[in-house]
Amino acid sequence: MAISTTERPRASRPVKPTSRLRTTLWLLVSLIVVAAFWSVKIKWSTLADFPAQLIKYIALMLIPPDWSQFGEALNATILSVQMAWIGTVLGIIISFPLSFLASKGLAPRVVNAPLRFIFAVIRAVPEVVIAILILSVTGLTPFTGALALAVGSVGTLGKWGYEAFEGVDPGPKEAVRSTGGGTLALIRWGVWPSAAPDVFSFWLYRFEINVRASAILGLIGAGGIGKMLQDNVQFRNWDAVGMLLLVVIAVTMVIDQISGAVRNKLIHGTWRAPRLAS
């Protein structure tokens, strides 16, 4: 006896909708990339010689480095770290209260909107350009570099600050408001305890950025790593450049390790980053 079976109709896969806007944006980005490579005169033939030239100059710098320049390299590195530290501290002092004023819910719109715009403008200007503008007032000194780093820090720390304040758990804030607390009480008990670890972490991270940026500021004569690097490269003292690079790498790694340990302590409560569960 034959058993008749009925086949289920196969469900057709839905057609993925196409987005003309997405396609247009991809084409536009592709054209911009092609135009950028087309407008810049790149000698692609030199890329083949780049590895050999890189090895050559690394050998000139490090085989062997000029150990007689160790003291000068260390002093230049310390000067750059001092510039970064002063710039970071000044940036914290200025940006910290402004971050509260730029936060929604802590200040009126007419106050936080202009501050957010100022932070965005500052972030759009590189520290080198800021230093050049400050030169006419302070002259070409390490303090000029510190002030440029301070202004640049205000832009980033201000943004990171108000984002941290706005991203806290709303529970403590609602509790403060329910008890009739004012704005200062809201900041002290509803916002700051939750945002403090992130804010401290941002401060340390900005210090690390400023240490690297101080080297670039030295190239315009602000002193420190960049000044020594420029002087020795100009006269082709590659062994002195190698000694400077070794000192800079060592000091930067020490700062990164200390800063990372402090950040982990503030955020996770331990001096080491927590391991991921396997």
Side-chain angles (χ1 to χ4, degrees):
M1 180 178 178
I3 301 175
S4 62
T5 59
T6 57
E7 296 183 356
R8 293 184 179 180
R10 295 182 179 180
S12 59
R13 180 178 297 178
V15 180
K16 184 178 180 180
T18 58
S19 174
R20 292 184 178 180
L21 178 60
R22 182 183 301 175
T23 304
T24 304
L25 289 176
W26 275 112
L27 290 175
L28 181 61
V29 171
S30 302
L31 289 175
I32 293 174
V33 172
V34 172
F37 279 97
W38 188 269
S39 60
V40 178
K41 295 181 180 179
I42 302 176
K43 295 181 179 179
W44 297 101
S45 59
T46 59
L47 291 178
D49 299 331
F50 177 76
Q53 292 295 323
L54 180 62
I55 295 174
K56 171 186 174 182
Y57 284 104
I58 290 177
L60 290 174
M61 288 186 293
L62 301 179
I63 307 177
D66 187 0
W67 289 98
S68 64
Q69 298 292 324
F70 175 78
E72 183 179 354
L74 183 60
N75 291 333
T77 305
I78 292 175
L79 179 58
S80 293
V81 174
Q82 291 173 338
M83 289 168 50
W85 178 254
I86 295 174
T88 305
V89 171
L90 291 177
I92 291 171
I93 294 174
I94 297 172
S95 65
F96 184 62
L98 296 180
S99 298
F100 289 105
L101 296 176
S103 302
K104 296 179 180 178
L106 300 179
R109 179 75 175 176
V110 294
V111 175
N112 54 52
L115 283 176
R116 289 174 181 240
F117 177 75
I118 293 174
F119 292 154
V121 171
I122 293 175
R123 292 195 308 275
V125 182
E127 284 83 358
V128 174
V129 178
I130 298 174
I132 294 174
L133 296 176
I134 298 176
L135 281 177
S136 58
V137 179
T138 61
L140 198 59
T141 64
F143 186 61
T144 302
L147 289 178
L149 294 175
V151 175
S153 298
V154 170
T156 53
L157 292 179
K159 176 181 173 58
W160 292 343
Y162 72 71
E163 287 181 346
F165 298 149
E166 292 177 355
V168 299
D169 185 7
K173 294 191 292 185
E174 294 175 357
V176 173
R177 291 193 182 98
S178 64
T179 58
T183 302
L184 292 179
L186 179 64
I187 294 174
R188 173 62 183 88
W189 304 109
V191 176
W192 178 244
S194 300
D198 289 335
V199 173
F200 287 137
S201 177
F202 293 151
W203 292 352
L204 291 171
Y205 183 55
R206 181 63 206 190
F207 172 63
E208 296 177 20
I209 295 175
N210 285 344
V211 170
R212 294 169 176 82
S214 64
I216 300 175
L217 293 178
L219 295 175
I220 64 172
I225 300 171
K227 183 65 168 58
M228 182 178 176
L229 181 64
Q230 183 184 37
D231 293 341
N232 286 281
V233 169
Q234 184 177 0
F235 293 101
R236 301 295 190 269
N237 297 326
W238 299 115
D239 50 355
V241 173
M243 188 70 257
L244 177 62
L245 291 179
L246 291 177
V247 174
V248 169
I249 291 172
V251 173
T252 303
M253 289 179 65
V254 170
I255 292 175
D256 287 345
Q257 291 298 317
I258 296 175
S259 178
V262 175
R263 284 202 308 269
N264 287 324
K265 180 64 176 178
L266 292 172
I267 297 176
H268 305 293
T270 177
W271 292 106
R272 294 184 179 180
R275 298 180 179 179
L276 296 177
S278 57

